Amino acid sequence: MLLRRIVLPTLAAALLCTTSALALDVTFEIHMEQQIALDRFDPAIDTVDIAGDFNGWGSAPTVMSDPDADSVYTATVGGFSEGQVFEYKFRLNESWGGTEEFPGYDANRMYTVVAGSNRIEAWYDGYLPGGGEPDTDQLSWWNDSVFYEIFVRSFYDSDGDGIGDLPGLTMQLDYLNDGDPATDTDLGITGIWLMPINDSPSYHGYDSTDYRAINPDYGTIADFETFLAEAHARGIKVIVDYVMNHCSNQHPWFTASCANDPEYRDWFRWSDTDPGDGGWHSCGGDWYYGHFGSGMPDLNYDSPALKTEMFDTATWWLQNVGVDGFRLDAVLYIDEDPGQTQTTPGTLQFWQDYNTHVKSVNPDMLSVGEAWTGTMEVLRYANEDRLDLCFEFDLAYATVGAINNSNASWLDTRAALSYVDYDYLQYATFLTNHDQDRSFSTLGEDQEKAKAAAALYLTLPGVPFVYYGEELGMTGTGDHLNIRRPMQWDTSSWSGFSLVQPWQDLGSNWPWRNVASEKIEPGSLLNFYRQMIHLRNENAALRRGTYTRLASSRPEVLAFLRQYGGQTLLCLINTSDQDQNGFEVA
């Protein structure tokens, strides 16, 4: 939104105030078809209601009814305001924790109210609409993929300057996937996500100065095209970071805008005074908006010319260069409004427009969004023709927490909710990423815990993303520089990453946690990741299969079934460091 100083007549101001205060309705729907068909819910005696912080958590629960007798129970609650965030949960027979037949709805969910229609739809206990196995013809290539997130600067240095580069990445592709399905010595990944490779003044690249140029530290566009061709030859799809929310304050667009160039002035958000609500920075006597700091001014998509340029750039990467899609940074913040920075109506409309455009260029391209928030808000992006996948942060927290707490109960609930809430299997799973403490550090540098965590997210539903070095047990906490250290290849100087001192110090465990050492150790973390990824690649039930929760007599054990095409896999994962004997699953 472009903010300008304006003066409104009293009547206009009053009308504006009245309009912004309009109360909004939220309609809740919960599908009980399968429960009724299986005689697990009797409409004559059983009840469903909705409780939340909007109705006193059950002091005045809102009863849901089925007036059409279609087994879909609904209730509409009014009085919400745009941008309001509330918690809620469905209840069966006035029970907070569900029953033996209906586990999993003891967890609070969150929802953000938007302008227009607000509808929350769910299927009780994870059953899909219509029952049975879903139509997997609607799945896409990414559902058969395991992705590997790479920071090019830290992966492999080919030219001896201490900085990883694209030719170096190309040289190491066989480690990731050698292209021969008959071998099992490679890691087995089939997708790569590259963190920003555009020209940028920073080490991390999330502040581009040219969206169509390669950072010269990494090489040239020809180097990228060579890498892309080699990856494709091995059956690896490649998506690249496209940072659409903001650019660098050194970008020529911004310097021209700051200088009041009329062609670029409205490509950024300007105010002649500091609005005083945070995120505003001075330049040329005026104030511009940059949510992530003064060095990263937000782009203003109220400018048709800017929007066209950014969409054309997406076309260039997809059509001219040939990438397979984008990872999209900070998708929550495209269009901030006063008092609301996330998930505004303008932001939601932008991603719908974006999706329409990129799918017209390549219907098979993948868009993965970073919506770092609770699941119910993420669903506004993932389930409504905006983005194909979003990262499931709530599930990631539950996965790591299950291992650290030796208790799978919360993960059991969270995994079931993710499976139900998203379109079938359309969410991205992970442990931690480049903005978080490395998973091996969060797991106490315990190899067995790391193996259990890997087993969880490589067998649960969703599309998994492995952060480079996670498979080795690389560590890092605190400053992002510590989390993005050079890859640990072998025991030679600088761990084989470079012939000279790298741009950033190596992690302290590089002498024993490196590719060369772990490859020859049968019980290593690397070999476990390799085995789990190949297991997933070889079993369609783990990639495309339905998910059925099983009740375990031990909270330490997560039990579930994955089923597809006549194949049924029973998955049992022990989240504790104690053997589990004599337990039952049902």
Side-chain angles (χ1 to χ4, degrees), residues 123 126-129 131-140 142-144 379 382-383 388-389 416-428 460-463 536 540-548 561-565 567:
W123 282 262
Y127 284 89
L128 290 164
E133 194 166 277
D135 180 8
T136 54
D137 289 339
Q138 297 180 4
L139 298 181
S140 301
W142 51 82
N143 292 106
D144 290 318
L379 293 174
N383 278 15
D388 298 303
L389 303 174
L417 291 176
S418 298
Y419 180 69
V420 174
D421 287 337
Y422 288 91
D423 289 343
Y424 185 61
L425 305 184
Q426 301 307 303
Y427 52 99
L460 284 167
V463 180
R536 187 179 182 94
L542 293 178
R543 307 189 311 273
R544 294 177 161 245
T546 57
Y547 173 75
T548 303
L561 298 176
R562 301 296 309 276
Q563 295 173 290
Y564 177 81
Q567 181 187 47

Side-chain angles (χ1 to χ4, degrees), residues 398-426:
T399 303
V400 174
I403 303 300
N404 278 332
N405 297 322
S406 300
N407 190 319
S409 299
W410 171 237
L411 175 59
D412 181 39
T413 297
R414 186 67 259 167
L417 291 176
S418 298
Y419 180 69
V420 174
D421 287 337
Y422 288 91
D423 289 343
Y424 185 61
L425 305 184
Q426 301 307 303

Side-chain angles (χ1 to χ4, degrees), residues 103-124:
Y105 276 78
D106 53 342
N108 294 358
R109 300 180 176 200
M110 298 185 68
Y111 183 79
T112 302
V113 180
V114 299
S117 175
N118 289 270
R119 185 172 67 93
I120 298 173
E121 187 176 23
W123 282 262
Y124 214 100

